Amino acid sequence: MTYTPDHVLMVDDDPEIRQLTAQYLEQNGVHCSTAANGREMRHLLQSQRVDLLVLDVMMPSEDGLTICRDLRAQGSPHAALPILMLTARTEDADRILGLEMGADDYLGKPFVPRELLARIRAILRRSRALPGNLQSATDAMFWRFSGYTLDAVTRQVRNPDGVLLVLTSGEYRVLHVLLQHANKVLSRDQLLELTQGRTADAFDRSIDLLISRLRLRLGEPARTIGLIKTVRSEGYVLATEVQAE
């Protein structure tokens, strides 16, 4: 069997950062392509398979937040591509904005290449499979709920009209976990542990943002019936009958 290394595309306007980071990743078994701006990034995405995007926020002409928003737009062929944001900004509001745009994780500049590599591997691991510590109520491969379906083999979700919904890896994992624990309230800490394998800090809003985006992805039918309910001071619950096959 031929081994194919993970392919990371790094988008940053600083040529020194691109060169040094790419060199480090290549030395550690990760194939890394680089782009100086959104135009070069789009050309590479059209011509090559990319497993993860490392995207700098502060770039001239077209910033990383705008690029992330466009990639995450419904109908984009790269809507589910894992994205790690790099930012020199330290304000909580800026990091939250990146998560709201659909980033899977963020890392502040300056960064240690070893930490970047660890974050990349963690995101790729989460995007390909649910974490091993998840105690699933069932090993079902197909789920039906309120007219929606989730296929755990193809990782596809369809709405009641049969339309395929494009979910990011984070949104998919949250929905899968909620299905496995349907009609049970899960706290933010539990959801974070089950979907990302880590604990939350005092200001971690990533689960709230994922839930908000997931509600939007599921569309009006889900909002009308209140499919994912907020339980004040406790967490979230998928409030519907679920059939597992």
Side-chain angles (χ1 to χ4, degrees):
M1 182 179 295
T2 303
Y3 169 71
T4 303
D6 293 320
H7 184 194
V8 169
L9 173 57
M10 181 175 191
V11 186
D12 195 303
D13 63 313
D14 188 318
E16 184 176 3
I17 291 179
R18 294 199 307 271
Q19 179 182 358
L20 292 176
T21 303
Q23 182 179 3
Y24 180 84
L25 293 177
E26 292 280 356
Q27 290 173 346
N28 285 274
V30 177
H31 178 46
C32 183
S33 300
T34 63
N37 50 50
R39 179 181 57 80
E40 292 182 9
M41 176 205 72
R42 292 182 179 89
H43 175 73
L44 286 168
L45 286 177
Q46 289 175 355
S47 60
Q48 301 182 32
R49 175 192 61 82
V50 174
D51 298 301
L52 182 142
L53 186 68
V54 177
L55 183 60
D56 185 33
V57 171
M58 299 295 291
M59 292 188 293
S61 68
E62 187 180 22
D63 62 64
L65 292 174
T66 301
I67 293 173
C68 183
R69 181 196 62 198
D70 292 344
L71 290 173
R72 288 292 187 246
Q74 192 74 20
S76 167
H78 306 291
L81 179 67
I83 298 175
L84 170 62
M85 302 288 286
L86 295 177
T87 175
R89 297 176 174 179
T90 58
E91 295 293 329
D92 287 338
D94 293 320
R95 295 197 296 268
I96 290 171
L97 183 57
L99 292 172
E100 286 178 337
M101 292 296 180
D104 293 272
D105 201 356
Y106 57 83
L107 182 62
K109 284 184 172 182
F111 59 86
V112 178
R114 184 176 179 180
E115 181 177 3
L116 175 64
L117 177 62
R119 296 283 188 102
I120 288 171
R121 286 174 171 167
I123 293 172
L124 289 173
R125 185 169 59 249
R126 297 196 303 262
S127 69
R128 289 165 178 162
L130 290 169
N133 63 349
L134 177 60
Q135 298 300 313
S136 171
T138 175
D139 293 328
M141 292 292 100
F142 196 81
W143 305 78
R144 301 181 189 274
F145 58 105
S146 298
Y148 294 82
T149 61
L150 180 147
D151 188 326
V153 176
T154 62
R155 297 174 70 89
Q156 291 185 342
V157 178
R158 294 184 182 274
N159 72 8
D161 294 325
V163 177
L164 180 65
L165 305 180
V166 180
L167 305 184
T168 67
S169 60
E171 293 160 1
Y172 172 85
R173 290 194 306 274
V174 169
L175 178 58
H176 198 174
V177 168
L178 289 173
L179 283 168
Q180 292 173 314
H181 302 271
N183 297 298
K184 296 180 181 178
V185 178
L186 295 176
S187 69
R188 291 169 177 81
D189 286 345
Q190 288 173 321
L191 283 168
L192 195 61
E193 173 65 25
L194 291 171
T195 59
Q196 300 185 30
R198 65 183 178 90
T199 57
D201 59 39
F203 302 101
D204 197 322
R205 286 190 54 202
S206 58
I207 288 298
D208 297 322
L209 296 173
L210 282 171
I211 290 289
S212 178
R213 295 205 326 254
L214 180 57
R215 284 168 170 161
L216 290 175
R217 299 284 194 190
L218 292 173
E220 184 58 33
R223 291 194 292 273
T224 300
I225 63 176
L227 187 61
I228 303 174
K229 296 185 181 297
T230 302
V231 182
R232 188 173 181 180
S233 301
E234 293 189 43
Y236 298 98
V237 59
L238 186 74
T240 188
E241 181 180 348
V242 173
Q243 294 180 327
E245 302 174 7

